[in-house]
Amino acid sequence: MKRSQLRVLGIAGSPRRDGNTDHLLSQVMDGASSRGAKTKTAVLSKLNISPCRHCDGCIKTGKCVIDDDMQWLHNDLRETDRIVLASPIFFMGVTAQTKAMIDRCQALWVIKYVLKLPVAANPGKERRGIFISVGGTKLRNLFEPATATVKSWFTTLDIRYSGELFFSGIDERATICLHPTALKDAFALGQKLAATNTSG
Ligand SMILES: Cc1cc2nc3c(=O)[nH]c(=O)nc-3n(C[C@H](O)[C@H](O)[C@H](O)COP(=O)(O)O)c2cc1C
């Protein structure tokens, strides 16, 4: 990897592989890659990530005491320049897999707010993130509760919330592929995310 190469971390939060958010995420990552970014995707349903126990084991060190895949994901989250979180809406929130991963970032919350140390591995560098989601219904405000969760998580990680891509009324696996613009929109968003200027 070139020193200056932008790192983009994709997080696939759906338990359904090759589903709607997986397709959107893969387009965003391809878009970022087409602009020279170094991409990596973590598929949460394939990882071993226990929920936070609120044991306060991290409170003095900022290191979580649970020895599972969150240990390396914490490092990736601290080192990356961009995050692309993809999760469908489950009962108005993010999926359980996604929420477990987010809650385990309590150790990073401790680093930032208790130990008052930088969360980002390279604190001077701008970090941005986007949220991609779909839901089966067309409910008004469908994405609002999940977005609040994601924004709170990004704030803890010193990530600027800089975009979103939401599609309602998408339920069956891969229905998103029949949408007239969704995949192209996702690719373009990935290109925009990989741009090194601060707009967007
Ligand atoms: C447990 C569960 C809960 C769901 N809750 C909601 C919901 O609250 N609102 C909604 O619009 N769709 C809901 N859905 C539908 C999913 O958001 C929809 O099927 C989506 O396309 C799944 O995305 P994926 O293919 O990326 O997994 C739910 C689906 C499941 C399995």
Side-chain angles (χ1 to χ4, degrees):
M1 181 175 149
K2 286 176 245 155
R3 256 182 98 80
S4 58
Q5 205 172 11
L6 197 88
R7 283 161 300 192
V8 181
L9 177 65
I11 299 177
S14 173
R16 183 161 72 172
R17 303 312 330 281
D18 297 325
N20 298 305
T21 48
D22 271 9
H23 282 286
L24 290 169
L25 177 61
S26 125
Q27 287 299 312
V28 172
M29 300 307 273
D30 284 353
S33 177
S34 77
R35 289 288 154 95
K38 170 96 178 156
T39 61
K40 174 176 178 178
T41 298
V43 179
L44 297 183
S45 63
K46 286 189 175 172
L47 301 180
N48 176 24
I49 299 179
S50 299
C52 175
R53 300 174 187 155
H54 202 174
C55 63
D56 282 342
C58 60
I59 207 80
K60 288 199 172 118
T61 61
K63 183 164 167 52
C64 182
V65 296
I66 305 173
D67 187 13
D68 63 9
D69 285 316
M70 204 60 211
Q71 294 294 340
W72 62 260
L73 195 49
H74 275 146
N75 287 339
D76 282 8
L77 290 168
R78 299 183 74 179
E79 284 171 4
T80 196
D81 303 303
R82 305 283 186 269
I83 291 180
V84 183
L85 178 67
S87 169
I89 300 300
F90 276 14
F91 286 95
M92 294 306 288
V94 293
T95 62
Q97 290 80 358
T98 305
K99 192 57 165 53
M101 182 275 299
I102 288 176
D103 288 354
R104 287 287 298 288
C105 288
Q106 177 70 359
L108 304 186
W109 183 93
V110 166
I111 289 174
K112 180 172 178 173
Y113 294 108
V114 179
L115 305 179
K116 304 197 185 304
L117 294 169
V119 172
N122 191 348
K125 205 169 171 194
E126 188 212 21
R127 300 199 332 139
R128 287 195 269 143
I130 59 174
F131 179 36
I132 296 167
S133 192
V134 305
T137 68
K138 292 194 170 178
L139 216 63
R140 206 170 55 87
N141 305 335
L142 177 60
F143 301 101
E144 276 183 18
T147 301
T149 299
V150 173
K151 284 184 175 173
S152 156
W153 177 58
F154 278 178
T155 298
T156 296
L157 265 52
D158 279 341
I159 290 272
R160 181 162 69 83
Y161 187 90
S162 70
E164 58 198 17
L165 194 58
F166 298 151
F167 295 95
S168 57
I170 302 287
D171 209 0
E172 298 304 315
R173 187 200 298 264
T175 304
I176 200 69
C177 299
L178 305 174
H179 188 282
T181 64
L183 299 184
K184 280 185 197 153
D185 293 348
F187 189 87
L189 190 59
Q191 289 184 315
K192 192 173 167 196
L193 188 71
T196 45
N197 64 37
T198 54
S199 63

